[in-house]
Amino acid sequence: MSILLIQSHYQDPFSMTPPAFAEATMQGKLITVREMELTAAHFAAVSGLITTIHLDQVGFVRYAPAVASFLDRGGRWIFNGHMLRPILPELGTYIPMPQPKRADFVQARRFDHPVFTGIDQRMLETNRGVAGFYGRGHNPMPSGAVAINTLGPAAVPIDWIWARPAGGEVLSHAGNEFWGCGDDPDIKKKLADRVIAWLEGKLNR
């Protein structure tokens, strides 16, 4: 089965082959569908799901049953961005950091998830010397979730993984797509490749 990437109709210019996943697209591992063309049937035909920070969450709520069924089958979902319309009852609404300072953007690895293992998290901390692009808050962790990467002395869980009791896994990143952060192109490619491998079920602990 393949991986579904939902492309927002707000993104401009629109491309059906996002650069980070061009190879996976050519290999037939990933299909990209615009939100306006999305149907419940798309979720039934894939084993992995990627949503970006640009997702129209108001419109996406209509697919809650399809997403739940996708996860029930053991699907894996990488959610990027701020959860403002939680699609599952266990998920909560995004909480921003109040008046963050530079020290609050310092990143720390808490759990060695295979997507991030061996990668120096500090390399994702800044873009062209500016911190904060990776994220400035967190999506609340459901019961049983595990923090992967945290921000600052308050250990804000910017990245977490949740093995859903009913089936499937959700990897939440409360910011811009993490494989686009930092300035090292090799790290970006490595993260994008691992995202595909993990969503395929080929990258596990």
Side-chain angles (χ1 to χ4, degrees), residues 107-109 116 119-126 134 148-150 158-159 173 178 191:
Q107 299 184 28
R109 177 72 39 75
F116 293 95
I119 291 175
D120 184 350
Q121 198 63 23
R122 293 171 298 180
M123 296 295 290
L124 306 181
E125 201 168 286
T126 62
Y134 195 80
I148 301 172
N149 300 305
T150 61
I158 181 74
D159 300 312
H173 169 67
F178 59 81
L191 284 170

Side-chain angles (χ1 to χ4, degrees), residues 103-114 116-122 134 141 145-161 205:
D104 296 311
F105 297 131
V106 173
Q107 299 184 28
R109 177 72 39 75
R110 303 290 177 174
F111 173 67
D112 197 25
H113 189 274
F116 293 95
T117 189
I119 291 175
D120 184 350
Q121 198 63 23
R122 293 171 298 180
Y134 195 80
M141 296 197 300
V146 176
I148 301 172
N149 300 305
T150 61
L151 298 177
V156 173
I158 181 74
D159 300 312
W160 49 258
I161 182 72
R205 286 187 61 81

Side-chain angles (χ1 to χ4, degrees), residues 76 113-117 169 193-205:
R76 287 176 168 179
H113 189 274
V115 169
F116 293 95
T117 189
E169 295 179 84
D193 290 346
R194 288 182 179 181
V195 160
I196 296 298
W198 184 74
L199 291 172
E200 287 183 301
K202 296 179 179 178
L203 190 63
N204 304 292
R205 286 187 61 81

Side-chain angles (χ1 to χ4, degrees), residues 61 63-65 67-69 71-72 77 83 85-93 140-143 160 162 164-166 170:
V61 169
Y63 299 110
V67 172
S69 296
L71 291 169
D72 288 345
W77 176 18
M83 286 189 186
R85 297 288 192 280
I87 197 169
L88 300 173
E90 300 91 342
L91 302 178
T93 303
M141 296 197 300
S143 177
W160 49 258
W162 177 45
R164 184 168 169 266
V170 178

Side-chain angles (χ1 to χ4, degrees), residues 4-145:
L4 171 66
L5 188 154
I6 300 175
Q7 182 83 43
S8 171
H9 53 261
Y10 293 114
Q11 290 177 281
D12 184 41
F14 172 71
S15 170
M16 291 302 289
T17 55
F21 302 118
E23 184 177 350
T25 300
M26 288 188 295
Q27 294 172 345
K29 295 179 178 181
L30 180 141
I31 60 170
T32 302
V33 177
R34 290 199 79 176
E35 287 174 331
M36 292 181 291
E37 299 168 356
L38 188 66
T39 69
H42 284 110
F43 298 94
V46 296
S47 59
L49 172 65
I50 300 172
T51 54
T52 75
I53 195 170
H54 301 285
L55 179 71
D56 175 6
Q57 296 183 44
V58 174
F60 192 58
V61 169
R62 78 186 69 159
Y63 299 110
V67 172
S69 296
F70 156 78
L71 291 169
D72 288 345
R73 297 195 320 269
R76 287 176 168 179
W77 176 18
I78 294 183
F79 177 95
N80 293 279
H82 306 163
M83 286 189 186
L84 301 176
R85 297 288 192 280
I87 197 169
L88 300 173
E90 300 91 342
L91 302 178
T93 303
Y94 174 77
I95 301 173
M97 292 190 294
Q99 300 180 320
K101 305 293 191 298
R102 175 62 181 88
D104 296 311
F105 297 131
V106 173
Q107 299 184 28
R109 177 72 39 75
R110 303 290 177 174
F111 173 67
D112 197 25
H113 189 274
V115 169
F116 293 95
T117 189
I119 291 175
D120 184 350
Q121 198 63 23
R122 293 171 298 180
M123 296 295 290
L124 306 181
E125 201 168 286
T126 62
N127 285 54
R128 298 182 180 180
V130 180
F133 286 97
Y134 195 80
R136 293 170 173 260
H138 74 286
N139 298 318
M141 296 197 300
S143 177

